[in-house]
């Protein structure tokens, strides 16, 4: 016969397990902490859009819907940050992926969480985790290339602009004029349009990128222009927050902070992130931690000895501090973009396209074990 104490203990343990399972986050969605971090982006965009509507100087400044900016005249522009040639835009935003890449690899190559400087073993250290982190960087970089640079021809933003009715207005006008004058397809002769230039009418269908249009003296006009600045700043900064945040939070935060992320196992079971990763014990053998155990606390306590006396600022390391600077400047320039550039819908689509790439890189691996084996999860 079971004693009341044992019975109560078993009931308590069962209730605790049941509550733990109920409290697990859905692996198909971002965790509550991730949602709070992601909420910063629509908040900045909403605040900036409202500010542009309510601020008298911004509202009264002439706006050019073709260039998606305020008229670039020193007397009319409402702010230094409304100028396309401001130093922050020229030196940071226009080269943002360079800064994002440099800060990421600076963190990856120098931070103790990736270089085994811990009081205990863990899967976050070693070459394997560095390779997986590099694969995630490659995935995010590939999405940036597809959206803004090249997608088996014109980039996604250019294709979207064309599909929604956009065209290179002035170049199209020159082509139409020459076709009418010469009444013949293919390369147009005659006077060759303005300045004696010859326009290849047959090849005009391939003339579908904003960069090529601008180089030819035309204006990108008429379609929906996804905000490349919003896309770039959101994608890059959120990528850095994911890569740095989980490493710092998981390995250098307070004791008993449990990883919110859950993963779908090969058998369909949902468990805490990292359960399917092999861990090396003090005897040198590999074992798998069954969800959450006191052994995890012991390893974390040993790691805390290494950073004893230091706070979160020290835990970031030199690479993490550079990342923090890049993320902070990205947030500021995102706010400036929200106030002075693009329509609200163009900013919204820029945000959504960035979130698509982030979802595939950081959420999909949680419920696709085969993909998780290749790209891993930050901090594990």
């Amino acid at each position: 016969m079971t004693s009341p104490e044992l019975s109560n203990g078993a009931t308590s343990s069962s209730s605790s397990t049941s509550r733990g399972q109920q409290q697990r986050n859905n692996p198909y969605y971002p965790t509550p902490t991730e949602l709070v971090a992601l909420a910063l982006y629509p908040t900045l965009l909403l605040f900036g859009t409202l500010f542009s509507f309510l601020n008298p100087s911004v509202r009264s400044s002439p706006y050019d819907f073709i260039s998606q900016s305020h008229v670039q005249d020193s007397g009319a522009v409402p702010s230094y940050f409304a100028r396309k040639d401001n130093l922050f835009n020229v030196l940071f935003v226009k080269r943002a992926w360079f800064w994002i890449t440099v800060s990421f690899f600076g963190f990856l190559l120098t931070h103790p969480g990736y270089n085994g400087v811990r009081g205990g073993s863990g899967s976050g250290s070693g070459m394997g985790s560095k390779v997986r982190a590099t694969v995630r960087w490659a995935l995010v970089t590939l999405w940036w290339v597809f959206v803004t640079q090249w997608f088996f021809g014109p980039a996604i933003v250019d294709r979207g602009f064309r599909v929604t009715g956009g065209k290179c207005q002035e170049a199209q006008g020159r082509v139409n004029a020459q076709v009418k004058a010469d009444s013949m397809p293919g390369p147009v002769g005659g006077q060759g349009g303005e300045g004696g230039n010859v326009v290849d009418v047959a090849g005009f269908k391939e003339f579908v990128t904003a960069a090529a249009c601008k180089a030819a003296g035309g204006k990108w006009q008429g379609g929906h222009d996804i905000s490349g600045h919003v896309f770039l700043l959101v994608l890059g900064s959120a990528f850095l927050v994911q890569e740095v945040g989980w490493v710092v939070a998981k390995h250098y935060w307070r004791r008993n902070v449990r990883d919110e992320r859950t993963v779908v196992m090969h058998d369909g079971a949902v468990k805490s992130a990292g359960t399917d990763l092999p861990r090396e014990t003090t005897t040198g053998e590999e074992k798998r931690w069954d969800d959450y155990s006191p052994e995890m606390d012991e390893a974390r306590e040993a790691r805390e000895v290494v950073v004893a006396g230091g706070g979160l600022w020290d835990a970031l390391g030199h690479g993490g501090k550079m990342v923090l600077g890049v993320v902070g400047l990205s947030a500021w320039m995102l706010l400036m973009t929200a106030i002075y550039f693009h329509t609200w819908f163009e900013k919204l689509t820029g945000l959504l396209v960035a979130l698509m790439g982030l979802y595939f890189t950081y959420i999909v691996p949680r419920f696709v074990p085969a993909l998780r084996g290749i790209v891993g999860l930050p901090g594990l």
Side-chain angles (χ1 to χ4, degrees):
M1 184 175 182
T2 306
S3 66
E5 291 81 1
L6 291 177
S7 177
N8 291 338
T11 302
S12 176
S13 176
S14 176
S15 299
S16 176
T17 302
S18 176
R19 284 195 301 271
Q21 292 175 345
Q22 292 175 358
Q23 291 173 356
R24 282 199 181 115
N25 296 307
N26 192 321
Y28 295 88
Y29 301 105
T31 69
T33 300
E34 289 173 323
L35 287 175
V36 170
L38 290 172
L40 173 67
Y41 298 114
T43 300
L44 287 174
L45 293 177
L46 179 61
F47 176 82
T49 301
L50 291 176
F51 184 89
S52 67
F53 287 144
L54 300 176
N55 184 270
S57 63
V58 178
R59 192 173 63 247
S60 62
S61 176
Y63 190 84
D64 182 2
F65 285 94
I66 296 178
S67 65
Q68 294 295 352
S69 65
H70 291 272
V71 175
Q72 299 293 293
D73 179 79
S74 58
V77 69
S79 166
Y80 174 74
F81 288 99
R83 298 187 62 88
K84 289 187 174 182
D85 61 354
N86 77 76
L87 289 178
F88 293 93
N89 188 51
V90 173
L91 299 180
F92 178 73
V93 179
K94 296 294 185 182
R95 297 167 173 79
W97 210 255
F98 167 79
W99 296 113
I100 290 164
T101 298
V102 168
S103 61
F104 166 69
F105 280 104
F107 177 79
L108 182 68
L109 297 175
T110 64
H111 196 271
Y114 277 111
N115 292 278
V117 184
R118 300 180 180 182
S121 62
S123 62
S125 61
M127 185 58 65
S129 289
K130 290 181 181 179
V131 170
R132 289 189 289 270
T134 302
V135 171
R136 292 192 296 270
W137 167 83
L139 283 177
V140 175
T141 300
L142 186 62
W143 185 237
W144 167 69
V145 170
F146 281 170
V147 173
T148 65
Q149 308 296 316
W150 173 88
F151 185 65
F152 304 97
I156 291 175
V157 292
D158 292 322
R159 291 179 182 273
F161 188 84
R162 294 281 294 178
V163 167
T164 54
K167 60 184 64 177
C168 191
Q169 196 66 32
E170 291 186 3
Q172 179 71 69
R174 295 204 306 273
V175 169
N176 292 340
Q178 292 181 56
V179 169
K180 183 177 180 180
D182 298 326
S183 299
M184 61 178 293
V188 181
Q191 297 298 316
E194 298 178 10
N197 294 324
V198 177
V199 179
D200 185 354
V201 181
F204 187 78
K205 291 183 179 179
E206 303 303 320
F207 192 67
V208 290
T209 68
C213 178
K214 184 178 180 181
K219 291 185 178 180
W220 214 222
Q221 185 176 353
H224 176 74
D225 187 17
I226 298 172
S227 175
H229 275 37
V230 171
F231 164 78
L232 170 64
L233 294 170
V234 171
L235 181 71
S237 60
F239 159 73
L240 291 175
V241 169
Q242 278 281 347
E243 293 297 333
V244 174
W246 285 114
V247 173
V248 173
K250 185 173 180 62
H251 300 290
Y252 293 100
W253 205 250
R254 295 179 305 166
R255 292 183 70 239
N256 301 323
V257 174
R258 186 175 180 179
D259 196 325
E260 294 181 325
R261 295 170 294 180
T262 57
V263 295
V264 176
M265 309 295 286
H266 289 277
D267 60 1
V270 176
K271 294 190 175 183
S272 293
T275 303
D276 55 343
L277 295 177
R279 311 283 176 151
E280 185 178 332
T281 64
T282 54
T283 60
E285 59 180 314
E286 285 191 349
K287 67 179 293 291
R288 295 181 184 274
W289 281 338
D290 185 15
D291 205 4
Y292 187 76
S293 69
E295 188 176 1
M296 297 174 72
D297 269 344
E298 293 171 6
R300 183 179 291 109
E301 184 176 10
R303 290 194 295 269
E304 287 181 346
V305 173
V306 179
V307 293
L312 179 60
W313 180 251
D314 293 327
L316 284 171
H318 296 300
K321 290 168 186 175
M322 182 177 181
V323 165
L324 188 62
V326 172
V327 170
L329 191 52
S330 296
W332 174 255
M333 293 309 294
L334 180 65
L335 178 61
M336 296 300 101
T337 300
I339 295 174
Y340 300 116
F341 301 95
H342 287 281
T343 65
W344 70 268
F345 188 54
E346 291 168 342
K347 288 177 278 196
L348 176 62
T349 52
L351 172 65
L352 293 177
V353 173
L355 294 179
M356 288 171 58
L358 293 167
Y359 185 86
F360 178 81
T361 305
Y362 293 105
I363 306 300
V364 173
R366 298 178 191 177
F367 58 85
V368 180
L371 181 60
R372 186 166 66 250
I374 299 173
V375 305
L377 297 176
L380 294 176

